[in-house]
Amino acid sequence: MAFFMLSSTRPLTLLSATDLAKEHERLHTEVAQLKQAVTSHALVDQAIGVVVVLGRIPPEDAWRVLRDVSQRTNVKLNLVAEHLLEFAQGGLLPDEERMELQRACARYAALRPPSSPSSEQSAE
């Protein structure tokens, strides 16, 4: 038995039940990967927030800090983000990541122009 399937590259393609099953599996895998990507992105966004608070740096620099920590410790970015979120909730941060986090925050904080005392007072 054959079924028709609409495709953007091949408008009317005749597919067998086997082909449909393969396409279903491919789409199922793609959906699972997209769900993982969304979850991973949210985790990294939360970790950026932690770095913003800990390092007192803007979010753009916090993203760079996360990336630097990941690269310099050879730990995947998602895992660094997980560790930071655990640390923010009272857990421990691996020593190598903690030291690199401190160095990276200091590097990016040093690049910022110093803020004037009057702008700090008006923010309080």
Side-chain angles (χ1 to χ4, degrees):
M1 177 178 254
F3 299 92
F4 285 102
M5 179 182 138
L6 293 176
S7 166
S8 59
T9 56
R10 298 179 301 173
L12 215 48
T13 304
L14 212 49
L15 295 178
S16 68
T18 303
D19 291 337
L20 281 175
K22 286 179 184 175
E23 181 66 8
H24 177 268
E25 183 60 32
R26 186 191 69 76
L27 291 172
H28 182 69
T29 301
E30 185 177 340
V31 167
Q33 290 171 344
L34 290 171
K35 284 181 180 179
Q36 177 61 35
V38 168
T39 300
S40 173
H41 187 69
L43 186 72
V44 170
D45 283 347
Q46 292 172 19
I48 288 171
V50 170
V51 175
V52 165
V53 172
L54 291 177
R56 297 180 182 206
I57 56 177
E60 303 81 34
D61 289 344
W63 159 245
R64 292 181 186 106
V65 165
L66 273 182
R67 189 188 60 210
D68 288 0
V69 171
S70 173
Q71 290 175 346
R72 290 172 186 255
T73 60
N74 200 27
V75 176
K76 290 190 179 254
L77 184 70
N78 289 345
L79 191 53
V80 170
E82 282 181 34
H83 292 163
L84 274 171
L85 292 177
E86 289 171 10
F87 177 69
Q89 296 173 12
L92 296 176
L93 188 60
D95 288 340
E96 187 179 11
E97 290 175 39
R98 182 182 46 77
M99 290 186 310
E100 191 51 49
L101 176 66
Q102 291 171 338
R103 287 186 202 117
C105 284
R107 274 194 308 273
Y108 287 101
L111 295 175
R112 285 190 331 221
S115 57
S116 65
S118 60
S119 67
E120 287 179 7
Q121 290 173 353
S122 62
E124 293 175 356

